[in-house]
Amino acid sequence: MATTTHAPPARPPATSTDRRRRIAARPAAWIVWGVVIFFFLNLLGVVASVLVSSFGQRWFDTWLPDGYTTSWYARAWDEFALLQVIVVTLEVSVLVVGLSLVIGVPAAYALARRSFPGKRLIFLVFLLPILMPPITYGIPLATVLYKFGLAGHMSGVVLANLVPSVPFVILTMTPFIEQIDPRIESAARMCGAGLRTVFLRVLTPLLVPGILASAILVLVRTVGMFELTFLTAGPDSQTLVVALYYSMSASGIRAQQSVDAMAVIYTSMMLVLLVVALRYVNPTQLVAQVKDEPEH
């Protein structure tokens, strides 16, 4: 006589209320959320205090300043020569972005399309300047640049910033190139196109999103890079973040409000660049994966 087995009744799908109850029942979840909220509240408090101070006239023992003014921004603009500093920051950033793309995109193409011994080791070498703190290799790099007379000028700042920027472009562009079907290049070569023509007229239009993403990310990284720029910059080649440091640490009496105004200008510039970067860059595009070519 055959026996019949009854399957257990299917559980109803969990609702959002059930998920919230499960989360509430976990003490660890409350601890994690508490730490996250505490961190952001402290960060918001620091940013808000600097922002309010940059507009305050006098602020000593009260919760808020006695009055508000925008004159500190004009004073910081003249006192710290911010126009020249911003121009130098833009020049350094444009040069680093351009050279990084010129060097990094062809290198990423070679790594994405060619298979050779030691390929993974080369990727590991490119990862090191991104994973390591810049100060660890910045000091010997600055020593070499000073030895050859390059540091202390804009050329030294650009060369120092290329060390992490070129690997950043390579690791960002490699997934974009790997996603393009190699048969497109083969078809172009069958039609008589050379390697240069294939790269410029076939691949480059397809790589525009990746090139734009790499350029924006390198721009944000260069504007915010302090260690390498600080070690190699001279009086006429300081970017905004280095000038902000000198304004806080240099000798002399300076109004705290003018320094805060300069910090607000720098923070605003970084926020604009980050918003633009997130507008055009998908964070999942930054995950590089080395694909092994199938064996024939």
Side-chain angles (χ1 to χ4, degrees):
M1 181 176 180
T3 58
T4 58
T5 57
H6 299 280
R11 294 182 179 179
T15 62
S16 58
T17 304
D18 297 333
R19 286 193 293 267
R20 286 195 295 267
R21 288 177 180 174
R22 286 198 298 267
I23 294 175
R26 301 174 185 172
W30 285 103
I31 295 175
V32 171
W33 279 109
V35 171
V36 171
I37 293 173
F38 178 78
F39 171 77
F40 279 104
L41 285 178
N42 278 273
L43 180 62
L44 181 62
V46 172
V47 174
S49 64
V50 174
L51 180 62
V52 173
S53 176
S54 67
F55 289 100
Q57 292 180 348
R58 291 182 302 173
W59 193 5
F60 293 105
D61 296 330
T62 58
W63 283 97
L64 293 174
D66 297 336
Y68 297 92
T69 179
T70 58
S71 61
W72 297 113
Y73 286 87
R75 183 173 176 178
W77 188 270
D78 297 331
E79 182 179 358
F80 303 121
L82 288 185
L83 179 59
Q84 178 184 356
V85 172
I86 292 176
V87 170
V88 171
T89 303
L90 294 177
E91 290 177 350
V92 170
S93 302
V94 170
L95 288 173
V96 171
V97 170
L99 292 174
S100 298
L101 292 177
V102 170
I103 300 172
V105 175
Y109 174 81
L111 290 172
R113 289 289 188 257
R114 300 291 184 266
S115 180
F116 50 87
K119 183 177 179 179
R120 293 184 179 275
L121 179 61
I122 292 178
F123 267 94
L124 178 61
V125 172
F126 284 137
L127 276 174
L128 290 179
I130 299 176
L131 298 178
M132 294 174 59
I135 196 68
T136 57
Y137 60 87
I139 294 177
L141 175 62
T143 302
V144 173
L145 292 177
Y146 275 108
K147 180 179 180 180
F148 290 97
L150 296 173
H153 309 284
M154 185 177 295
S155 58
V157 176
V158 172
L159 289 174
N161 279 274
L162 285 177
V163 174
S165 297
V166 172
F168 203 79
V169 172
I170 293 174
L171 296 175
T172 305
M173 287 300 302
T174 302
F176 283 92
I177 299 175
E178 289 177 343
Q179 293 169 7
I180 299 176
D181 193 343
R183 290 176 293 184
I184 298 177
E185 305 170 42
S186 301
R189 291 174 182 172
M190 290 180 61
C191 294
L195 180 60
R196 180 179 178 182
T197 304
V198 171
F199 190 81
L200 294 178
R201 296 189 179 183
V202 178
L203 285 179
T204 300
L206 298 175
L207 294 176
V208 168
I211 294 175
L212 181 62
S214 302
I216 294 175
L217 292 173
V218 170
L219 177 63
V220 174
R221 186 181 181 89
T222 304
V223 173
M225 177 59 69
F226 170 74
E227 295 91 340
L228 298 180
T229 306
F230 172 76
L231 292 171
T232 55
D236 299 329
S237 57
Q238 296 178 5
T239 59
L240 188 55
V241 63
V242 176
L244 176 61
Y245 170 79
Y246 278 122
S247 67
M248 296 177 59
S249 61
S251 60
I253 300 175
R254 292 178 174 82
Q256 182 62 39
Q257 291 91 333
S258 62
V259 178
D260 291 337
M262 186 177 180
V264 171
I265 294 174
Y266 171 73
T267 304
S268 301
M269 179 182 293
M270 291 301 300
L271 286 176
V272 171
L273 291 176
L274 288 175
V275 170
V276 173
L278 293 176
R279 171 63 179 82
Y280 291 99
V281 179
N282 184 355
T284 59
Q285 296 171 346
L286 305 182
V287 181
Q289 179 180 3
V290 183
K291 296 194 300 185
D292 295 329
E293 294 185 0
E295 297 181 357
H296 299 285

